[in-house]
Amino acid sequence: MKALKKLFVAALALSLPLATLAQATEAAKPAEAAPAAAPAPAAKPAEETIKVTPYGFVLLNAYWDGNTLVNKDYPGQAARAGTNEGGAFLMSARQSRVGMRLATSGDNWTGAALTGVIEFDFKAGHVGVAPQASTTWYNGLMRLRLAAMTATWKTPYGNWAVLAGQEYGLVNPLFAESLAWVADPLFWQAGNLWRRSPQIRLSYNGQFDMVGLSLAAAMLSPADAGQPVDNGYGNRSRTPNFEARGAVSVKAAPDISGTVGVGYHMQTRRYNYGTPDQKDVDGYMLGVDADLNLTQFLQVKGEYYTGKGADDTYNTIGAPTVQTDPPYAKVKGDGYWAQGIIKPLPQLWLTIGYGKAKMDDGDLGFVAAANQAATRFENTQLAGGVLVNAGKFWRFGVEAMQVETKYLVGADQKATQIALSSQLKF
């Protein structure tokens, strides 16, 4: 028994150093590495989207006409003597406008920033077949105004852009300030050239300290008084209209700035197509525009134009502008408008302006005697108003205009219009 105890003690004494050595060896082993984390999934490219921003306004106008206007909701022409003489009262919401601005968020291989616009109003006429009863007046048909996309490349020395779509022309792009005469703009037919046209346009805009430079050139779809609607005299020439404009802007102080531009238009029309008298006739239009902020209380803007054989392209009083048979005489036209906008308070603006359009009556000798009484050779508009800016979204005002129209035959005619307007912008 004693021998067994001695043997057990000896075995225990021998095992203790071995156990200590085993523990040291186990501790010396490096810790087992944790499994590697799985690689993070690759980030997905940002989704390409188009941002759509609606804009426009709801506009109501009430018109009181003194004497007879050819169009009761726009004082563009005083009717000649003996044609439905008398005043009128009319209300209209047809100048209301709705549009969408588009902007893309994705990249494209050209490196261009892409934007677009599409815009409508309700001045395309009325439901039904003319002449319609006045009960159809409120049924204003929607009309396409603008539909264009623009690709812009930004560079250290300025921005280059290509526009494709329907936009305003390049000659005399300004408009007078008004709530009463918007879709049919103030001083239209009295010195204010304007057109919208499908076109392809290349433009450049650069800013050099306080001076800005803008250059543009465009190829446009022909437009004139020829019929049918898709094949006028310009279309038959198989030649686009061409336009160019250059402008310089200066910002001398926070409240003192201005822009002056010069534009040029050229076109070709084909008369008596397919006959022995067929002839191509060229026309042109030259315009100068200026928009000057003289102080925070006064803005002055206006335009001047002169041209030959092209007035109907730009919606002036010229009709006709080219004799449609030999010798194809071209009519010279010129005009101007100017407006002062006095801003005694941000909430209150006062406007006063004058415009005049004139055709060279000596060039209108080819007009048939039967048509001379209805042919205008001069039109003027004198307009003023009080506009109230009631906030970011609401404007209203009262405006008045006198129009004087001169015909080739007969007495000069005058008419007036007073307008009350309310506009909700969005």
Side-chain angles (χ1 to χ4, degrees), residues 131-268:
Q132 300 107 321
S134 63
T135 52
T136 66
W137 171 252
Y138 73 96
N139 288 324
L141 298 177
M142 183 175 283
R143 174 180 67 172
L144 178 65
R145 292 171 54 88
L146 305 176
M149 66 84 62
T150 302
T152 303
W153 291 267
K154 296 182 178 181
T155 72
Y157 50 86
N159 297 337
W160 293 88
V162 173
L163 178 147
Q166 181 163 300
E167 252 289 356
Y168 285 96
L170 293 176
V171 179
N172 288 14
L174 301 182
F175 291 99
E177 189 71 35
S178 177
L179 291 177
W181 308 293
V182 180
D184 298 322
L186 177 56
F187 303 124
W188 172 39
Q189 301 182 37
N192 185 7
L193 294 182
W194 66 275
R195 72 179 294 195
R196 291 185 290 268
S197 175
Q199 61 188 275
I200 299 173
R201 179 194 301 180
L202 173 65
S203 62
Y204 166 80
N205 289 281
Q207 189 68 38
F208 308 94
D209 294 327
M210 60 186 293
V211 178
L213 176 64
S214 175
L215 303 171
M219 176 180 72
L220 303 89
S221 183
D224 50 58
Q227 297 175 349
V229 66
D230 60 348
N231 195 26
Y233 302 122
N235 303 108
R236 295 170 204 170
S237 75
R238 305 179 185 179
T239 305
N241 290 175
F242 294 100
E243 295 183 355
R245 180 175 183 267
V248 174
S249 60
V250 177
K251 189 174 182 64
D255 297 322
I256 302 176
S257 62
T259 301
V260 177
V262 178
Y264 187 78
H265 162 95
M266 57 186 296
Q267 62 172 261
T268 300

Side-chain angles (χ1 to χ4, degrees), residues 57-68:
F57 53 78
V58 177
L59 178 59
L60 176 70
N61 307 109
Y63 299 109
W64 287 264
D65 297 345
N67 209 340
T68 298

Side-chain angles (χ1 to χ4, degrees), residues 31-39:
E32 187 173 333

Side-chain angles (χ1 to χ4, degrees), residues 38-64:
K44 293 182 179 180
E47 183 178 357
E48 297 185 0
T49 61
I50 295 182
K51 180 182 178 181
V52 179
T53 304
Y55 72 93
F57 53 78
V58 177
L59 178 59
L60 176 70
N61 307 109
Y63 299 109
W64 287 264

Side-chain angles (χ1 to χ4, degrees), residues 86-163:
F89 172 75
L90 185 69
M91 299 180 76
S92 175
R94 296 197 303 148
Q95 295 191 100
S96 298
R97 186 179 303 175
V98 61
M100 293 178 289
R101 294 186 179 92
L102 314 174
T104 62
S105 63
D107 295 329
N108 61 81
W109 65 266
T110 70
L114 303 179
T115 57
V117 63
I118 186 165
E119 181 180 288
F120 302 88
D121 65 15
F122 302 89
K123 290 281 288 183
H126 298 87
V127 174
V129 178
Q132 300 107 321
S134 63
T135 52
T136 66
W137 171 252
Y138 73 96
N139 288 324
L141 298 177
M142 183 175 283
R143 174 180 67 172
L144 178 65
R145 292 171 54 88
L146 305 176
M149 66 84 62
T150 302
T152 303
W153 291 267
K154 296 182 178 181
T155 72
Y157 50 86
N159 297 337
W160 293 88
V162 173
L163 178 147

